[in-house]
Amino acid sequence: MLRGRARRGREAHAGTGDDPLDAAQERRVRAVLALGGVPQADLPDGVQQVRLRLLERAASGREAPRDVAAWAAVVASNLAMDWHRAKRRQERLGERLAALREPAHPSGEDTSVLSLAVAQGLDELPDAQRQVVVLRFYADLPVRSIAEQLGVPEGTVKSRLHTAVRALRARLHEDEVV
């Protein structure tokens, strides 16, 4: 009986719009952010940003996204790109302030060589290509959903995916990882 009340309470709570993301959507958002390179410590803030943007969208009177999960994944991907841009700005500033700095070598003996090479390859991709790779292969969104959410034709998504995968493949062969 208590379980039924609790379930009805959660359903009623979800219907009020207090939490626009369900547990599965939140996990997907966390995964997209993490795979987009956002540090573990910043993931809760990223999830909250996605929630906030969804609530702001509703408050402004705009129609709710047709596929909230896909929309949330795209917003998370955009947040990850914003995080990378901010990180790059900070790095450039640091480089200007420090005359010479030793190159940072990734530590992590437990990280596989392949995962490290793929992560480095993703970092080197242009933002638009990285975004479609993360949304397609890590968030597991179909090309059509990616195109709709980004507001670009499906052919553009396919082209970006092709170019990005080709660049990643070349990178892995260059580094003799594969």
Side-chain angles (χ1 to χ4, degrees):
M1 182 163 160
L2 288 176
R3 285 185 183 163
R5 282 186 194 166
R7 188 178 319 119
R8 283 191 300 275
R10 281 193 305 270
E11 290 168 0
H13 182 70
T16 63
D18 290 344
D19 191 358
L21 296 178
D22 64 25
Q25 293 164 340
E26 182 175 334
R27 282 192 303 274
R28 179 181 262 183
V29 166
R30 283 180 174 277
V32 169
L33 290 169
L35 291 166
V38 176
Q40 191 74 23
D42 292 339
L43 293 181
D45 290 338
V47 172
Q48 287 301 88
Q49 283 294 319
V50 172
R51 277 191 178 99
L52 178 63
R53 291 191 184 174
L54 190 55
L55 290 170
E56 286 173 341
R57 180 183 176 110
S60 70
R62 288 188 288 171
E63 184 178 318
R66 195 169 352 134
D67 183 354
V68 174
W71 182 90
V74 170
V75 170
S77 177
N78 288 336
L79 287 171
M81 285 193 322
D82 291 346
W83 185 87
H84 278 286
R85 287 184 191 120
K87 180 181 169 193
R88 284 189 195 126
R89 280 192 299 272
Q90 290 173 346
E91 287 173 355
R92 284 192 298 263
L93 180 61
E95 288 170 2
R96 287 184 210 137
L97 295 175
L100 290 173
R101 184 167 63 160
E102 291 189 34
H105 296 290
S107 64
E109 298 160 358
D110 55 334
T111 304
S112 74
V113 173
L114 180 60
S115 295
L116 184 58
V118 169
Q120 288 173 339
L122 280 172
D123 282 344
E124 293 174 3
L125 290 176
D127 290 340
Q129 290 178 11
R130 182 182 327 106
Q131 183 178 34
V132 295
V133 166
V134 169
L135 291 172
R136 177 66 188 106
F137 297 114
Y138 292 104
D140 200 28
L141 293 179
V143 170
R144 174 171 283 151
S145 289
I146 296 169
E148 288 173 2
Q149 295 298 321
L150 295 178
V152 298
E154 285 183 46
T156 301
V157 172
K158 291 176 184 178
S159 173
R160 289 176 185 172
L161 278 171
H162 175 76
T163 305
V165 168
R166 191 175 61 213
L168 286 172
R169 185 177 295 128
R171 163 71 189 235
L172 294 176
H173 286 295
E174 251 178 46
D175 294 347
E176 298 179 358
V177 175
V178 194

